Amino acid sequence: MKPVPPGQVTELNILVTDAMTVQFEELGAGHPVYATYWIAKHFEEAGRKLLLPFLEAGDGGIGAEVHVNHLASALPGMHVTVTATALRTEGRRLHAELKAVSELGDLVATGQTVQYITDAGRLEQGFETLRQRWAERQRAAPQHKENTHA
């Protein structure tokens, strides 16, 4: 991996949709605003976007940590800008500071992410091993009904 300069910045522009509001698997619909778990997804995506230009041939990156402090609401139809700023690289870990700001200027969330950099082949091999273990488990285990909570 090429060095990522502290202070390097990237942005992710989000249009909040109805699908990004709170919809729990078991509990159903919650508040009709940008859900914390969607913010976490967008923080991880922005952290990855920050990393990608610095990966070299054979490098792979994977999300290792996401922290979100949800501070204000954003409604469907609002634009939110997620900004990722490189803080430091420690070994194979890129630490970034994140913030999400609505088009109204509200600070929706702050947080941090860590991307782990490793060999892309090793990463894919780990996924393949997991797929094999899962297939073996599926063949050996009795079939379970899907979660039908709605």
Side-chain angles (χ1 to χ4, degrees):
M1 179 182 87
K2 295 178 256 179
V4 181
Q8 181 76 25
V9 175
T10 194
E11 288 186 349
L12 187 65
N13 295 300
I14 305 298
L15 173 62
V16 178
T17 66
D18 288 328
M20 294 177 192
T21 62
V22 180
Q23 298 289 328
F24 293 116
E25 297 295 323
E26 186 175 335
L27 303 176
H31 305 294
V33 295
Y34 189 28
T36 306
Y37 52 86
W38 273 93
I39 296 170
K41 175 187 185 286
H42 292 140
F43 275 14
E44 183 164 355
E45 184 176 356
R48 181 158 180 82
K49 186 176 178 183
L50 181 66
L51 172 65
L52 287 177
F54 298 94
L55 292 179
E56 296 179 294
D59 285 342
I62 189 166
E65 294 180 37
V66 179
H67 301 272
V68 176
N69 300 312
H70 197 161
L71 305 170
S73 298
L75 298 169
M78 287 184 169
H79 288 89
V80 173
T81 301
V82 175
T83 305
T85 304
L87 292 175
R88 66 189 178 284
T89 303
E90 292 178 346
R92 296 180 169 269
R93 295 178 184 274
L94 172 61
H95 296 256
E97 180 176 69
L98 283 288
K99 69 177 180 176
V101 178
S102 78
E103 65 184 281
L104 296 176
D106 297 336
L107 182 60
V108 175
T110 61
Q112 302 84 36
T113 63
V114 176
Q115 290 281 318
Y116 181 75
I117 300 88
T118 189
D119 175 76
R122 183 175 175 203
L123 188 60
E124 185 51 44
Q125 182 57 50
F127 295 148
E128 182 56 31
T129 299
L130 180 60
R131 284 189 285 270
Q132 290 172 3
R133 289 178 51 224
W134 178 241
E136 290 170 14
R137 170 80 159 87
Q138 292 298 99
R139 286 191 297 272
Q143 297 300 314
H144 297 283
K145 291 184 180 182
E146 283 188 32
N147 180 352
T148 57
H149 300 284

